[in-house]
């Protein structure tokens, strides 16, 4: 109750006793909306989240399991009981199940990896034995290889640069990489490009084991047997079903031959625990690993290659399994053909109490509370579509197939897609389309943080400032890693991703330890942040659903995009300086003179100079765009007729689509958005203005200049679009 009063108090302060209108609403409708939001908040109940998590995380439920299907059916029945028109849409997707996993050290000593996490006291879910999914990386290819081992740190591009300096090649070898530092799928992708024939990924205790805190069951961190499962599909090329790129995996869809599927890895890859990694790493010799590469194991980290040799054998049962998406609709009273979408996945690697159930129960509680209001006659003006996706874990498959299936209709009807996934205690993280930033910031200013009772926005800003940031509320840019990807990056639909975290550290991610007891002890024991998430996402959903004018703000968008361009220009300059310095050091023999003469280090050679790039077309276009946006924002919307507003909304809904190009990004046409994409060599990590940025990072100067042209055209089209709207409203 205290929390509610505080919320109301904050609302009153922030809105000047509701005289000031909220973004997108007239002052009259602002009051109505705030009343509705108050009823919604009062309706949220933490007990439901707790109860539903216990039910849905009771057994393992990866895609294709019986329990997963039971969950989907139960979610559907819940939505129906809340008044939603609900269906299950099923796709037939390729999903590999491991049938043989062998990893052994064959020389100079012998060790057979156990590849099994142990049950722990106080957590009966970890003792379900064969019901638990064996630890593996989905979409590793089958393979049977034996070779010398090389330690490659995190296995990211800069680690291979370091290896090259040391004169070490991974060609024909098996690499062992630490889990963090990049999205896991990048490790086998890069290793294969460098000529390795196998890849092992292990969780170093320094990253999420005893180096961080007590291990499970005493604490939240990874014990010596815990293994992170996860997909290694080449998602930066395209996510979703590997056999049906760009179209839906329906029963009768034409499918690629598995050997032709470009997103399955080229070499076998297996994740292991630090207990299993220790004998392998101990058996390495050769160069001692650079200081920054050393982890938390009680050994001297060597790189090899060898003398350790390992044998890795993996076989999978490659079969089609059904992926069940639950789609629940509450029809809008005024604009039924304008949809506000809200989604979270329901499949997990094992029990998935945190990932994804903690986010799913928040979504369900929002839907229930909104359903209650609708039953009392307070229905949304626009249609709400709630989705519980299947097969997110193996590669965003359920949502991708659904978006590919309905792409045309979605591009006509969807106002925005709001995503959540695992949730915990701490600070609001919000990412997405920057035209939505102002509205999200306004909502975050009204939601109360359950621990400190200030707004979740103030708490976020406090954390930013303490960590060296400034005092503004900003959305981060979306890379990949959850179900927003097909919406924003493929269909060009404005999207958000929301979640709380930062005070819920642990090592349970994708292991058998992500269970209800673990969640209750270490994540969000009272589900206070579950309710805060339902509150934040629910208010955003309701504002988008009821706004008189769709709440987009392009001046904040413009300043963010301009910053991205400045960043790229600055980075190009520092690359230039570095190359000049490097070449000078090569001429002066500095590398050799600075090295220990008793150690073998390959002297580097001169690098190609960085040419001057002409960014002016982009800079000029951003100036023009700034003027256009200023003119658009000067329109007095209060004087517009109902018909003009309807017309305006129809066009605002599609504004984000103007930022895509049908041709897509170089070498990955599935990714159409020109502002945000997951990095080709970072995976989940975002690359903003990706066409230009990645060409420069890869030192492909011809492509950089081409991509500047393409992006300039994107800005030009966007400019024309906003200008036309403005002119038509005058
Ligand atoms: Zn997840």
């Amino acid at each position: 109750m205290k929390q509610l009063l505080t919320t109301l108090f904050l609302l009153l302060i922030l809105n000047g006793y509701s005289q000031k209108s909220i973004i997108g609403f007239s002052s009259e409708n602002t009051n109505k909306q705030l009343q509705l939001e108050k009823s919604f908040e009062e309706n949220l109940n933490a007990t439901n989240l707790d109860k539903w998590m216990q039910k849905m995380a009771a057994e393992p439920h990866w895609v294709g399991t019986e329990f997963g299907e039971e969950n989907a059916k139960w979610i559907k029945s819940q939505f129906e009981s809340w008044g939603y028109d609900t269906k299950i849409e099923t796709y037939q997707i390729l999903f590999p199940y491991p049938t043989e996993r062998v990893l052994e050290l064959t020389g100079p000593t012998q060790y057979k990896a156990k590849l099994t996490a142990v049950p722990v006291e106080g957590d009966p879910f970890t003792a379900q034995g064969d019901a638990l999914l064996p630890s593996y990386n989905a979409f590793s290819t089958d393979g049977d290889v034996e070779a010398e081992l090389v330690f490659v740190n995190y296995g990211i591009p800069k680690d291979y640069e370091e290896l090259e300096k040391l004169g070490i090649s991974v060609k024909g070898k098996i690499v062992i990489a630490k889990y963090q530092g990049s999205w896991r799928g990048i490790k086998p992708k890069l290793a294969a490009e460098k000529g390795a024939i196998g890849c092992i990924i292990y969780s170093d205790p320094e990253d999420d084991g005893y180096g961080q805190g007590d291990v499970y069951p005493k604490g939240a961190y990874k014990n010596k047997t815990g293994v992170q499962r996860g997909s290694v599909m080449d998602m930066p090329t395209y996510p979703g079903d590997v056999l049906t790129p760009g179209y839906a995996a329906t029963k009768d869809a034409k499918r690629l031959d598995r050997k032709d599927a470009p997103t399955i890895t080229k070499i076998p890859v297996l994740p292991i625990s630090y207990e299993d990694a220790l004998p392998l790493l101990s058996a390495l010799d050769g160069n001692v690993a650079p200081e920054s590469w050393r982890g938390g194991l009680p050994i001297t980290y060597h790189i090899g290659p060898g003398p350790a040799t390992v044998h890795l054998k993996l076989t999978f049962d490659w079969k089609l399994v059904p992926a069940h998406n639950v789609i629940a609709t509450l029809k809008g009273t005024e604009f039924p053909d304008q949809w506000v979408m809200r989604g979270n996945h329901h499949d997990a690697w094992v029990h998935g109490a945190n990932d994804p159930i903690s986010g799913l129960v928040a979504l369900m509680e929002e839907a229930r509370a909104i359903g209650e209001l609708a039953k009392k006659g307070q229905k949304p003006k626009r249609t709400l579509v709630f989705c519980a996706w299947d097969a997110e874990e193996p590669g965003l498959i359920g949502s991708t197939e659904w978006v590919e299936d309905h792409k045309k209709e979605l591009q006509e009807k969807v106002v925005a897609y709001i995503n959540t996934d695992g949730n915990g205690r701490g600070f609001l993280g919000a990412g997405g389309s920057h035209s939505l930033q102002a509205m999200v910031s306004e909502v975050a200013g009204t939601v109360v943080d359950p621990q400190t009772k200030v707004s979740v926005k103030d708490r976020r800003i406090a954390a930013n400032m303490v960590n060296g940031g400034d005092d503004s509320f900003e959305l981060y840019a979306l890379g990949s890693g959850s179900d927003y990807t097909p919406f924003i990056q493929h269909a060009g639909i404005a999207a958000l991703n929301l979640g709380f975290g930062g005070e819920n550290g642990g090592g349970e991610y994708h292991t058998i330890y992500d269970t209800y007891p673990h969640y209750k002890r270490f994540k969000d024991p009272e589900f206070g942040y579950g309710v805060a998430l339902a509150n934040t996402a629910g208010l955003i959903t309701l504002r988008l659903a009821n706004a008189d004018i769709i709440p987009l703000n392009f001046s904040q968008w413009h300043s963010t995009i301009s910053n991205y361009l400045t960043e790229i220009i600055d980075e190009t300059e520092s690359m230039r300086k570095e190359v000049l310095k490097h070449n000078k050091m090569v001429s002066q023999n500095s590398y050799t003179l600075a090295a220990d003469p008793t150690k073998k280090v390959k002297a580097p050679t001169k690098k190609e100079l960085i040419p001057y790039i002409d960014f002016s077309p982009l800079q000029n276009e951003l100036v023009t765009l700034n003027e256009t946006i200023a003119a658009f924002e000067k329109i007095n919307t209060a004087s517009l007729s109902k018909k003009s507003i309807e017309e305006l909304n129809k066009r605002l809904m599609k504004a984000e689509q103007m930022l895509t190009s049908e041709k897509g990004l170089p070498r990955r046409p599935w990714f159409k958005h020109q502002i945000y994409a997951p990095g080709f060599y970072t995976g989940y990590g975002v690359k903003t203005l990706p066409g230009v940025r990645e060409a420069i990072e890869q030192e492909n100067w011809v492509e950089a200049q081409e991509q500047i042209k393409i992006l300039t055209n994107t800005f030009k089209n966007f400019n024309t679009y906003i200008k036309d709207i403005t002119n038509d409203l005058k």
Side-chain angles (χ1 to χ4, degrees):
M1 189 61 196
K2 194 178 159 218
Q3 183 181 330
L4 286 170
L5 289 174
T6 324
T7 314
L8 192 58
F9 179 65
L10 264 167
L11 271 174
L12 291 176
I13 295 192
L14 283 162
N15 296 294
Y17 297 91
S18 304
Q19 278 159 9
K20 202 175 141 247
S21 40
I22 51 178
I23 299 174
F25 290 80
S26 68
S27 46
E28 188 201 341
N29 287 339
T30 291
N31 288 333
K32 271 194 216 157
Q33 177 71 12
L34 293 179
Q35 280 302 318
L36 173 83
E37 291 180 1
K38 187 173 156 263
S39 313
F40 167 76
E41 285 177 319
E42 283 170 357
N43 233 319
L44 299 174
N45 182 348
T47 319
N48 286 334
L49 280 72
D50 193 328
K51 202 171 66 189
W52 297 338
M53 178 180 284
Q54 291 185 57
K55 178 166 176 62
M56 290 189 284
E59 285 177 48
H61 52 105
W62 65 91
V63 61
T65 54
E66 249 171 66
F67 192 68
E69 185 168 335
E70 248 176 64
N71 271 348
K73 286 180 182 159
W74 180 75
I75 295 164
K76 176 175 182 271
S77 72
Q78 291 297 105
F79 272 100
E80 280 167 344
S81 73
W82 305 326
Y84 289 75
D85 187 4
T86 312
K87 57 187 170 186
I88 292 181
E89 290 190 48
T90 302
Y91 298 95
Q92 300 297 325
I93 63 142
L94 186 71
F95 180 75
Y97 182 92
T99 48
E100 198 176 5
R101 301 174 305 148
V102 177
L103 173 64
E104 48 199 358
L105 181 67
T106 51
T109 47
Q110 326 269 287
Y111 173 77
K112 193 166 163 57
K114 295 177 188 143
L115 309 178
T116 310
V118 296
V120 298
E121 212 176 306
D123 189 340
F125 298 97
T126 62
Q128 288 171 339
D130 288 346
L132 307 169
L133 180 67
S135 47
Y136 77 115
N137 287 131
F139 299 102
S140 157
T141 182
D142 293 311
D144 187 357
V145 290
E146 183 168 358
E148 279 186 322
L149 191 66
V150 183
F151 174 53
V152 295
N153 194 27
Y154 291 114
I156 56 179
K158 89 173 191 272
D159 298 327
Y160 285 97
E161 280 169 29
E162 191 66 36
L163 286 173
E164 202 174 318
K165 271 188 214 159
L166 297 168
I168 297 169
S169 159
V170 301
K171 202 157 188 209
K173 316 286 187 209
I174 294 174
V175 302
I176 181 165
K178 292 190 281 190
Y179 229 120
Q180 300 194 356
S182 78
W183 175 60
R184 74 181 82 70
I186 298 304
K187 300 167 198 283
K189 174 171 162 170
L190 206 51
E193 283 181 15
K194 303 285 179 192
I197 58 169
C199 177
I200 300 160
I201 310 179
Y202 82 101
S203 299
D204 196 283
E206 185 182 74
D207 291 332
D208 63 355
Y210 54 70
Q212 295 297 320
D214 285 321
V215 304
Y216 202 50
K218 187 184 178 202
Y221 289 91
K222 207 178 244 98
N223 65 38
K224 64 182 183 184
T225 68
V227 186
Q228 181 189 141
R229 288 151 191 75
S231 178
V232 286
M233 170 198 291
D234 189 5
M235 276 189 266
T237 296
Y238 63 85
D241 180 42
V242 300
L243 301 182
T244 59
Y247 57 96
T250 52
K251 218 173 109 218
D252 306 316
K254 216 176 136 194
R255 287 176 162 78
L256 296 180
D257 215 54
R258 180 158 56 85
K259 67 172 181 1
D260 300 326
T263 53
I264 297 174
T265 65
K266 306 289 179 278
I267 57 174
V269 47
L270 183 72
I272 62 171
S273 66
Y274 54 84
E275 179 181 47
D276 278 337
L278 182 59
L280 273 52
L281 291 167
S282 308
L284 283 173
D285 208 340
N287 285 56
V288 171
E291 202 175 326
S292 65
W293 287 30
R294 299 169 202 165
L297 290 169
I299 52 166
T300 301
Y301 283 68
H302 287 88
I303 298 176
T309 53
V310 293
H311 172 218
L312 173 65
K313 184 174 186 202
L314 300 172
T315 321
F316 300 95
D317 180 9
W318 298 89
K319 60 179 176 195
L320 294 183
V321 300
H324 303 295
N325 296 323
V326 186
I327 311 291
T329 305
L330 187 65
K331 206 167 172 187
T333 51
E334 286 186 39
F335 310 106
D337 284 338
Q338 297 182 3
W339 299 358
V340 178
M341 296 196 59
R342 176 76 181 87
N344 195 108
H345 67 102
H346 69 77
D347 69 303
W349 275 123
V350 194
H351 303 88
N354 180 48
D355 180 9
I357 300 300
S358 62
L360 181 60
V361 293
L363 172 144
M364 289 173 69
E365 183 59 3
E366 284 161 58
R368 190 198 60 75
I370 291 172
E372 292 286 312
L373 292 171
K375 281 180 189 169
K376 290 180 196 149
Q378 291 184 286
K379 289 187 177 157
K381 290 182 186 172
R382 298 190 175 85
T383 294
L384 302 185
V385 183
F386 282 87
C387 315
W389 307 115
D390 202 349
E392 187 268 0
E393 292 297 0
L396 319 178
I397 303 178
S399 58
T400 297
E401 298 314 307
W402 192 82
V403 169
E404 289 174 349
D405 203 5
H406 301 283
K407 189 175 168 195
K408 274 224 167 76
E409 185 180 18
L410 299 176
Q411 288 178 328
E412 277 306 310
K413 296 183 176 171
V414 181
V415 174
Y417 170 74
I418 303 146
N419 190 71
T420 53
D421 203 323
N423 189 60
R425 199 167 62 89
F427 309 96
L428 174 64
S433 307
H434 287 86
S435 51
L436 291 166
Q437 180 172 288
M439 184 269 289
V440 174
S441 169
E442 192 175 61
V443 167
T446 74
V447 175
V448 176
D449 176 72
Q451 294 176 118
T452 63
K453 311 300 176 196
V454 301
S455 75
V456 297
K457 177 180 172 178
D458 284 350
R459 193 145 199 256
R460 167 84 265 168
I461 289 175
N464 287 354
M465 291 179 75
V466 166
N467 293 312
D470 61 17
D471 62 349
S472 58
F473 180 91
E474 283 168 5
L475 296 180
Y476 61 83
L478 293 179
S480 190
S482 198
D483 296 303
Y484 51 79
T485 281
F487 286 91
I488 185 163
Q489 283 145 355
H490 185 61
I493 290 165
L496 291 170
N497 188 47
L498 305 169
F500 287 88
E503 294 172 337
N504 56 345
E508 82 295 337
Y509 176 68
H510 292 184
T511 71
I512 67 163
Y513 306 119
D514 183 5
T515 58
Y516 178 73
H518 188 286
Y519 194 84
K520 281 291 276 184
R521 286 179 60 201
F522 304 114
K523 297 285 159 176
D524 181 22
E526 307 297 325
F527 288 87
Y529 283 94
V531 170
L533 181 63
N535 198 347
T536 311
L539 294 193
I540 290 171
T541 304
L542 287 170
R543 288 200 183 177
L544 286 163
N546 294 331
D548 301 308
I549 294 168
I550 292 168
L552 303 182
N553 176 299
F554 296 120
S555 47
Q556 290 202 10
W557 176 89
H558 186 275
S559 91
T560 306
I561 303 317
S562 304
N563 288 343
Y564 293 153
L565 181 59
T566 308
E567 229 173 68
I568 293 178
I569 295 171
D570 291 350
E571 271 167 33
T572 312
E573 273 318 297
S574 54
M575 278 170 82
R576 182 190 327 286
K577 279 186 194 140
E578 260 171 53
V579 168
L580 288 173
K581 186 180 170 197
H582 169 87
N583 288 355
K584 190 174 175 191
M585 291 194 294
V586 172
S587 319
Q588 298 179 352
N589 210 18
S590 313
Y591 288 104
T592 313
L593 295 176
D596 179 344
T598 66
K599 284 183 187 156
K600 195 184 108 191
V601 176
K602 203 174 121 192
T605 50
K606 280 192 177 177
K607 286 184 183 166
E608 225 177 288
L609 292 178
I610 310 284
Y612 281 92
I613 303 281
D614 182 10
F615 292 101
S616 67
L618 285 171
Q619 292 165 310
N620 289 327
E621 204 48 48
L622 281 174
V623 172
T624 312
L625 200 42
N626 198 29
E627 285 167 18
T628 302
I629 289 168
F632 171 76
E633 292 187 342
K634 272 199 202 106
I635 295 170
N636 178 12
T637 49
S639 67
L640 294 177
S641 69
K642 201 170 167 222
K643 197 166 164 274
S644 304
I645 289 181
E646 268 181 42
E647 192 52 40
L648 170 62
N649 281 337
K650 275 188 201 155
R651 292 162 83 171
L652 284 177
M653 279 169 65
K654 292 186 189 170
E656 189 85 18
Q657 284 173 49
M658 298 302 125
L659 301 170
T660 63
S661 105
E662 198 35 51
K663 260 184 82 185
L665 295 174
R667 292 167 294 283
R668 41 183 183 150
W670 189 92
F671 284 89
K672 314 259 182 229
H673 209 292
Q674 299 295 301
I675 310 288
Y676 318 107
F680 199 68
Y681 287 105
T682 54
Y684 287 171
V686 68
K687 294 287 175 184
T688 53
L689 315 184
V692 178
R693 191 186 292 265
E694 291 200 318
I696 289 171
E697 287 175 357
Q698 301 301 314
E699 304 190 15
N700 186 340
W701 311 115
V702 175
E703 188 171 296
Q705 215 63 70
E706 276 167 15
Q707 289 296 315
I708 287 175
K709 233 187 243 166
I710 292 170
L711 186 58
T712 306
N713 274 332
T714 304
F715 288 161
K716 273 200 170 109
N717 291 339
F718 190 65
N719 184 61
T720 309
Y721 194 75
I722 304 293
K723 209 169 191 167
D724 286 350
I725 298 178
T726 314
N727 289 338
D728 291 350
L729 289 175
K730 268 182 190 159

